[in-house]
Amino acid sequence: MSFSHAFNPTSLREYDIRGVVGKTLTEADGFAIGRTFGSMIARKGGSTVAVGYDGRTHSPQLEKALVDGIKASGVHVLRVGLGPTPLLYFAAFTRGTDGAIMVTGSHNPPEYNGFKMMIGKKPFFGQDILELGRLAAAGDVVAEGQGHAETVDLSDDYVARIVKDWDGGDQKLKIVWDNGNGAAGEVLQKLVRHLPGEHQILFGDIDGHFPNHHPDPTVPKNLEALIAAVKGSKADIGIAFDGDADRIGAVDGDGNVFFGDQMLAVFARDVLRDRPGAIIISDVKASQVLFDEIAAAGGQPLMWKTGHSLIKAKMAETGSPLAAEMSGHVFFADKWFGFDDALYAAVRLLGIVARSPLSLAEMHAALPKVINTPELRFDCDDVRKFTVISEVAARLKDAGASVSDTDGVRVKTADGWWLLRASNTQSVLVARAEAKTEDGLARLKADLVTQLEASGIEAPDFEQAASGH
């Protein structure tokens, strides 16, 4: 049977394939991904692909189409079923599969879904995804075969392996977990049964409509129920996951949001006790406080490009034991496998709190205080957005500014820093600024606006943008 398939061009993203189900993403796309990815695996001499799916209403149908496509390429499928994305990664690492695909819409609205991929133990992204699209359009696949599928439940093995690294002793913390109706629900129920302390789970049932709040723990509004529950029960800590539990959010016992870079500062101090001098990685959106804290703890801070696939690749290249992004992806290669896993990160954070004489709220209060904007996103044409970054970088360098162009432009001044970068996944520019004082923040925002206007871009609305962090 001949095969060729054209994807909606908006669905082929930098880190995954993603779209609105029934509009820009269909079951035919799922089959084509399986057929083409399976062929790519087979041509490398591989034979097995692990597949999992999240709790969205359309995930089972997309998973079936995907599996059918992989089997049609003569490749064996290890189906791990419904669960969090880290469970799928765990299957790939522990079962030694040649590839892995997770059907997940992650933290996107309910009508979205997508496919996150691995080849071997590495992320499949960027040019890999474009190549998959090219091969599908050309019908460049292996001859049709008859692969087989095998269903396995690895959730108990996964939970047991996480719990193996519990290092908080018998200290009984009071913890509130917000599953946000995401895919971690059943695994989370198993995990808390193996941990000491008092556990309360909010929205533990898996529901792809996300009836209680949007499944993105980096947005403070989505943490309101968790904050209320932590305060109401006088809990030590609150933990939240995104829709597929590869991203973590946290709040301390006083109900303050513990952002991704602040969490990494705490993790870094802990890891560096055993690994002095290690490289610790975070993305260009992270606070300068984090990089200073890593250096003060005896580590080598490395600022890298935003994107979980890019961070994972850099960790492997540098031998870094730990990395995290502002978006809540936390990657432990210290004792763990190096992939982003919110459940594992939660257990490591709880262990640190359990062993520390300080509460998480006291750790939070001890971090240097800065004032920053949230991440500001504003529309810019897909081609133009990269040109704008080049123009801004050239002007700043000509002016003798202190500029890092690792990912966009990050400009350091006496007041603090500001960042402008092009999103890899959307037609937007992303801006952020951080200073020690309100006046300093105002100057940084003015500098950013000046550069945008010089490139003919209307500046974002900075009103209400400052937030203590």
Side-chain angles (χ1 to χ4, degrees):
M1 184 175 71
S2 63
F3 166 85
S4 71
H5 181 84
F7 294 99
N8 185 301
T10 65
S11 68
L12 301 178
R13 308 295 184 98
E14 176 70 13
Y15 312 122
D16 54 27
I17 298 174
R18 189 190 329 155
V20 177
V21 176
K23 293 183 179 177
T24 59
L25 194 70
T26 66
E27 289 177 38
D29 292 321
F31 180 87
I33 291 165
R35 186 73 175 91
T36 312
F37 185 80
S39 297
M40 295 170 85
I41 294 295
R43 284 171 173 164
K44 288 178 176 290
S47 60
T48 306
V49 173
V51 170
Y53 64 95
D54 72 9
R56 289 167 188 261
T57 57
H58 22 67
S59 291
Q61 293 84 4
L62 289 171
E63 189 262 3
K64 181 183 183 303
L66 173 69
V67 169
D68 287 344
I70 297 170
K71 290 195 299 180
S73 297
V75 173
H76 182 76
V77 184
L78 193 71
R79 301 174 89 167
V80 303
L82 169 61
T85 291
L87 175 62
L88 185 273
Y89 294 157
F90 177 80
F93 275 82
T94 59
R95 292 298 181 98
T97 61
D98 303 297
I101 304 180
M102 183 72 185
V103 179
T104 176
S106 187
H107 59 281
N108 288 290
E111 65 271 21
Y112 280 80
N113 217 317
F115 300 81
K116 292 180 181 176
M117 290 169 278
M118 290 174 63
I119 190 154
K121 292 181 172 65
K122 296 179 180 178
F124 182 95
F125 69 104
Q127 291 301 314
D128 300 324
I129 290 174
L130 294 179
E131 176 69 359
L132 185 148
R134 188 192 68 76
L135 292 172
D140 188 353
V141 294
V142 298
E144 189 167 347
Q146 290 187 325
H148 299 282
E150 167 192 7
T151 300
V152 294
D153 182 354
L154 298 178
S155 58
D156 288 336
D157 292 348
Y158 170 61
V159 168
R161 180 59 188 83
I162 293 176
V163 173
K164 180 172 176 282
D165 287 349
W166 167 252
D167 56 7
D170 296 326
Q171 179 70 24
K172 291 181 170 53
L173 299 172
K174 184 180 278 192
I175 305 145
V176 181
W177 304 81
D178 185 351
N179 180 58
N181 299 111
E186 293 172 13
V187 172
L188 178 59
Q189 294 279 1
K190 292 183 177 184
L191 177 63
V192 300
R193 288 199 288 268
H194 292 277
L195 296 173
E198 185 179 324
H199 302 269
Q200 177 187 355
I201 297 177
L202 304 178
F203 319 129
D205 56 313
I206 300 172
D207 185 337
H209 297 290
F210 306 110
N212 293 289
H213 62 72
H214 189 68
D216 183 350
T218 62
V219 178
K221 178 176 172 52
N222 299 330
L223 297 173
E224 288 174 357
L226 179 61
I227 291 168
V230 166
K231 288 181 172 180
S233 63
K234 294 183 169 54
D236 296 293
I237 185 171
I239 301 287
F241 302 137
D242 73 333
D244 65 332
D246 62 358
R247 297 195 302 137
I248 184 173
V251 301
D252 66 27
D254 293 337
N256 299 306
V257 178
F258 212 61
F259 290 95
D261 50 359
Q262 295 170 328
M263 225 180 297
L264 182 57
V266 171
F267 286 138
R269 287 187 207 130
D270 193 59
V271 169
L272 287 165
R273 287 192 190 99
D274 295 326
R275 294 176 179 244
I279 295 170
I280 309 292
I281 303 172
S282 193
D283 67 326
V284 294
K285 293 187 284 188
S287 171
Q288 186 61 40
V289 169
L290 165 65
F291 298 108
D292 294 345
E293 288 287 315
I294 292 169
Q300 297 181 58
L302 176 60
M303 187 187 298
W304 195 238
K305 299 173 184 178
T306 293
H308 65 92
S309 298
L310 299 168
I311 295 278
K312 277 183 268 204
K314 195 65 175 177
M315 285 182 77
E317 176 193 325
T318 60
S320 166
L322 176 66
E325 291 187 276
M326 278 297 298
S327 59
H329 290 277
V330 179
F331 315 81
F332 274 96
D334 175 68
K335 303 178 185 175
W336 198 238
F337 301 93
F339 56 74
D340 35 342
D341 186 336
L343 292 132
Y344 184 80
V347 169
R348 290 289 291 260
L349 181 60
L350 296 175
I352 291 169
V353 174
R355 286 182 280 113
S356 174
L358 301 177
S359 68
L360 189 65
E362 288 168 330
M363 293 181 203
H364 188 266
L367 288 170
K369 293 293 176 284
V370 289
I371 307 160
N372 48 44
T373 68
E375 190 174 296
L376 299 158
R377 306 171 76 84
F378 45 104
D379 295 337
C380 187
D381 176 78
D382 262 332
V383 176
R384 178 69 181 137
K385 65 186 182 185
F386 293 108
T387 309
V388 170
I389 297 300
S390 298
E391 292 170 356
V392 172
R395 283 194 299 268
L396 289 165
K397 287 177 181 176
D398 286 346
S402 174
V403 180
S404 166
D405 57 3
T406 298
D407 183 6
V409 286
R410 178 162 162 151
V411 186
K412 196 172 181 180
T413 77
D415 290 313
W417 59 270
W418 61 266
L419 169 75
L420 183 70
R421 61 179 291 273
S423 169
N424 284 314
T425 56
Q426 294 174 291
S427 302
V428 298
L429 287 166
V430 182
R432 192 160 187 252
E434 175 182 278
K436 299 182 181 78
T437 67
E438 293 283 3
D439 288 346
L441 191 65
R443 285 189 289 271
L444 292 171
K445 290 190 286 190
D447 290 346
L448 174 55
V449 169
T450 297
Q451 289 298 330
L452 288 169
E453 290 177 346
S455 286
I457 300 294
E458 186 177 347
D461 182 6
F462 280 111
E463 289 302 312
Q464 307 298 321
S467 63
H469 171 159

